Amino acid sequence: MTPPTTAARPCTLNAAGIELSALLALPDRATPRATVLAIHGRGMRAAYWNTFIPLATAAGHAVLAVDRPGYGHSAHQLPDGQDLPGQAETLHAALKEHSAQYDTGAGILLLGHSDGGKVALHTAATSGAVPLLGVDASGVGHHYNPEALHFPSTLGAGATRLNWGPLHLYPPGTFQASRTLLAPTPPREAAETLRWPAQYADLAPRVRIPVRLTFAEHEAWWHLTDHTVAAMTARLTGSPAVTVDHLPASGHNISLGHTAATYHQRVLDFLDTLLTP
């Protein structure tokens, strides 16, 4: 059983004039071992990470799960959202604000899913005021599957298989419950989807912290042959360590599925390696 932890509470962050809503959870210790900045994917909200938060705080880490720019509280201020590099800049400002109020421990692990993983990699490739330990991204490849190039919306147009994979990979009631996690995708974010392969080629050499990439067995958004995965990791020339993990019996939204606990523990195991002298 997961030990008792401080529950996540809603908070807001002033990120260089942009007010972001977030969930903050602190461990039951005076100083966290580290802090995880958890970054949700397209069309989701910070509560995507609800099942990760208690495991992380039980392990002694703080978790700051943000609603990305254009989602949650900032949607009225940024009705068109921000492009991915702009989101990375805003998250650096949010981390600076957060670290002025809270001890972040040994540093920040960037944890991102899907488009949030893209933002995590952009954030890792740019400098900020708060030390970054590593980046852990799931649901992010280098080249899209041909069938994904139509980019259907999260809620319709045949996107179910792309976003979820086989439905038996998720607990009963997941799809009804997940409606509370959904939010409209800001136009600027949606408009630049096709640019991701070129963006990644540019930013990848500038990532200078360890990287861990996780791919679900039933990931349908990305072309994931051995060759394409090797080509993706080969571009991370500045990273001191790159790890690739393949998670069986999982779909794109790993953290909502039956294998969520396994995935989340592997994230925390990765973080432990970053904290080992």
Side-chain angles (χ1 to χ4, degrees):
M1 178 178 294
T2 302
T5 59
T6 303
R9 61 176 179 82
C11 65
T12 58
L13 294 161
N14 185 343
I18 297 171
E19 288 199 2
L20 299 180
S21 48
L23 298 173
L24 175 63
L26 302 174
D28 188 18
R29 52 186 288 164
T31 301
R33 297 174 61 209
T35 297
V36 180
L37 179 67
I39 311 169
H40 65 82
R42 175 185 296 204
M44 289 282 184
R45 293 283 303 276
Y48 175 82
W49 300 105
N50 276 352
T51 59
F52 170 75
I53 289 172
L55 291 174
T57 53
H61 305 295
V63 181
L64 181 64
V66 295
D67 285 325
R68 290 194 285 116
Y71 292 86
H73 191 72
S74 69
H76 73 282
Q77 189 176 358
L78 299 168
D80 293 330
Q82 291 182 317
D83 60 16
L84 300 184
Q87 291 184 50
E89 182 178 343
T90 299
L91 290 187
H92 273 300
L95 285 174
K96 183 178 180 180
E97 166 78 6
H98 177 73
S99 65
Q101 300 180 58
Y102 296 94
D103 192 328
T104 58
I108 306 293
L109 173 70
L110 301 172
L111 174 62
H113 172 254
S114 195
D115 274 16
K118 296 176 186 177
V119 175
L121 288 164
H122 273 285
T123 306
T126 53
S127 59
V130 181
L132 302 178
L133 298 171
V135 56
D136 192 304
S138 65
V140 182
H142 184 200
H143 291 295
Y144 292 103
N145 257 334
E147 66 184 272
L149 292 176
H150 300 291
F151 303 122
S153 69
T154 298
L155 293 179
T160 298
R161 194 179 75 81
L162 293 173
N163 286 324
W164 299 97
L167 303 189
H168 70 267
L169 300 175
Y170 301 89
T174 295
F175 306 102
Q176 181 175 355
S178 66
R179 291 278 167 171
T180 62
L181 307 180
L182 300 177
T185 302
R188 291 189 68 184
E189 180 177 320
E192 73 169 356
T193 303
L194 283 171
R195 295 197 287 271
W196 170 246
Q199 288 179 333
Y200 178 76
D202 175 65
L203 71 85
R206 295 186 278 112
V207 175
R208 304 194 182 280
I209 54 178
V211 175
R212 179 174 176 269
L213 302 171
T214 298
F215 300 110
E217 178 184 0
H218 298 280
E219 174 62 65
W221 277 101
W222 303 100
H223 195 250
L224 295 176
T225 63
D226 290 344
H227 174 75
T228 55
V229 172
M232 181 178 185
T233 59
R235 291 187 178 275
L236 292 163
T237 53
S239 173
V242 180
T243 306
V244 174
D245 193 11
H246 295 274
L247 194 62
S250 302
H252 178 72
N253 282 308
I254 294 175
S255 292
L256 302 179
H258 287 298
T259 59
T262 298
Y263 168 62
H264 295 156
Q265 186 57 56
R266 292 180 184 180
V267 172
L268 296 173
D269 290 345
F270 172 60
L271 180 51
D272 280 343
T273 68
L274 302 178
L275 299 177
T276 302

